[in-house]
Amino acid sequence: MDFCAKRFNELSPTEVYEILKARQKVFMVEQKIICVDADDIDYRSLHCFFMRNGIVEAYLRAFYDDVRPATVTIGRVLTITRGNGIGRQLMERAIAEIKRQLPCSTIRMDAQKQAQGFYEKIGFKTVSDEYLEEGVVHVDMEMTL
């Protein structure tokens, strides 16, 4: 399995297609979230993902926060197969790439409540009450670097 960390303009057409396919599978089909997924944030994001045999197995994107200086936001975090450690590997590798390519003092995310414990084990802290986003319960989480 290959780890990749690329800016949008570095992605191949196949990688873009496979990323969008994985996001649709997890968020729209499995979780029934209805939203415009292909937003303009992708253009300014660092896309971190694992590919196996040309298929995206795990993915997230990271981008500078528009409101908070020196803060990077992680979003669209997904794994196709769960329980095999790939999610933790993705987060560890992505955080290392964020530190290298997107210097910042804080990494934040709008985390789905059901994944809160997973992110806490990696070092994120919950900084908000629960709220609904796209019909799914979320909490804000941050990691200070």
Side-chain angles (χ1 to χ4, degrees), residues 23-69:
R23 287 174 15 181
Q24 287 176 10
K25 178 180 181 182
V26 171
F27 300 119
M28 296 175 176
V29 176
E30 291 177 11
Q31 297 182 1
K32 312 269 188 270
I33 295 172
I34 299 171
C35 68
V36 176
D37 177 58
D39 58 16
D40 290 334
I41 294 171
D42 284 328
Y43 290 121
R44 60 187 177 98
S45 293
L46 177 66
H47 300 267
C48 299
F49 54 101
F50 279 107
M51 285 193 89
R52 178 182 298 151
N53 300 324
I55 307 295
V56 170
E57 295 285 332
Y59 169 85
L60 65 76
R61 68 181 183 184
F63 53 93
Y64 282 110
D65 191 294
D66 288 334
V67 178
R68 299 173 188 94

Side-chain angles (χ1 to χ4, degrees), residues 74-126:
I74 290 176
R76 302 288 201 269
V77 182
L78 67 87
T79 57
I80 298 299
T81 308
R82 292 158 191 96
N84 60 1
I86 194 170
R88 184 173 191 82
Q89 291 176 51
L90 174 69
M91 292 300 295
E92 289 170 353
R93 298 283 298 268
I95 289 167
E97 284 298 320
I98 289 166
K99 288 177 180 178
R100 192 172 72 76
Q101 295 193 45
L102 301 173
C104 61
S105 60
T106 305
I107 300 174
R108 66 163 306 280
M109 68 171 65
D110 304 337
Q112 291 186 6
K113 173 72 175 163
Q114 51 92 11
Q116 182 178 5
F118 168 76
Y119 294 124
E120 286 173 344
K121 289 176 186 171
I122 294 168
F124 284 86
K125 299 207 178 334
T126 303

